[in-house]
Amino acid sequence: NAGVTQTPKFQVLKTGQSMTLQCAQDMNHEYMSWYRQDPGMGLRLIHYSVGAGITDQGEVPNGYNVSRSTTEDFPLRLLSAAPSQTSVYFCASTKTGGLPGLGYTFGSGTRLTVV
Amino acid sequence: DAKTTQPNSMESNEEEPVHLPCNHSTISGTDYIHWYRQLPSQGPEYVIHGLTSNVNNRMASLAIAEDRKSSTLILHRATLRDAAVYYCILLQRGSQGNLIFGKGTKLSVKP
C-alpha cells in the first residue's frame, strides 16, 4: 500500500552512538517532516523539508541532522545519542506544504531508547 | 501562529454521537482547520479539514462556527475503535505547512 514507511520500528542505542532513522514515501509528496513524541505529550516538530534539496529546522532541532537528496526519502540522523532523545519518532508527508487544503500522511513510528 | 484550545479529555458511550470542541479565537481568514487523531501506539491519522463551511466525510463531520472562532468534530456513532487523542490544528495557507500539535483531547469510549 502507498504511504509513509519508517524503519526501524524499534531501536536501542547506547549514549554517544549515532544512527539514522529512515523515512520513505511513494506518493510523490514534496513536503516531509520529522516529529518526536515523548510519553503523554503531543508531537513536536524536529525538521522539515518542502522539497528535494531544501530542509529547515523545526521546534526541537538540536542533536538531529537531516538531508533531502530525493523526493522519496527524508532520513533523520542522530549525531551522538543522548538519553533525552529517548522518544517515539514520526515522519509525515503531504503533497505541498503551502496548501493547507490537503491532509498529511504519517508513518507508524520508530520507538527509540537511548541507554 | 494562531492557537487552539481543547478539553483534556472526554468520555462517550459506544454507539452514541460525540461532539469534540475546539476554540480558536485568534484564527485568521487564511487558516484552515484540521483534525487528526492518534490511536494508541500509532501515528496520527488525518480525519477532516475545513475552511468556512461544514464538511462531511466517511469518518466524521466538521461543524465550523459562523465567526470561525470555534469548531466541533462530530463522530456520529462512536465505536471502541474511536478511542484516541484528537488534535485540532490550524494550518495557514501560504505557510511552510508545518502541523503544530497541542495536547489534544483524549476520547474514551465505554461499551
Side-chain angles (χ1 to χ4, degrees), chain A residues 31 33 35 37 40-43 45 48 50 56 90 97-108 111, chain B residues 30 32 34 36 38 41-46 49 87 91-103:
Chain A
Y31 176 96
S33 57
Y35 292 85
Q37 185 173 34
M41 304 287 289
L43 283 74
L45 182 66
Y48 65 96
V50 297
D56 207 343
F90 292 101
L99 293 176
L102 301 173
Y104 289 63
T105 303
F106 284 79
S108 57
R111 187 174 298 272
Chain B
T30 55
Y32 282 71
H34 278 237
Y36 286 76
Q38 187 174 20
S41 301
Q42 295 190 26
E45 174 186 31
Y46 167 79
H49 75 274
Y87 298 97
L91 206 52
Q92 188 175 47
R93 184 180 184 87
S95 69
Q96 292 96 339
N98 298 326
L99 291 175
I100 306 301
F101 286 81
K103 294 188 177 180

Side-chain angles (χ1 to χ4, degrees), chain B residues 10-12 14 18 20 37-42 45 75 77-86 105-111:
Chain B
M10 290 184 65
E11 271 192 359
S12 172
E14 196 176 12
V18 182
L20 296 162
R37 72 179 185 180
Q38 187 174 20
L39 302 172
S41 301
Q42 295 190 26
E45 174 186 31
L75 307 179
R77 273 179 86 236
T79 68
L80 297 177
R81 197 189 172 278
D82 291 323
V85 178
Y86 287 78
T105 297
K106 184 174 183 178
L107 175 66
S108 302
V109 180
K110 296 184 289 184

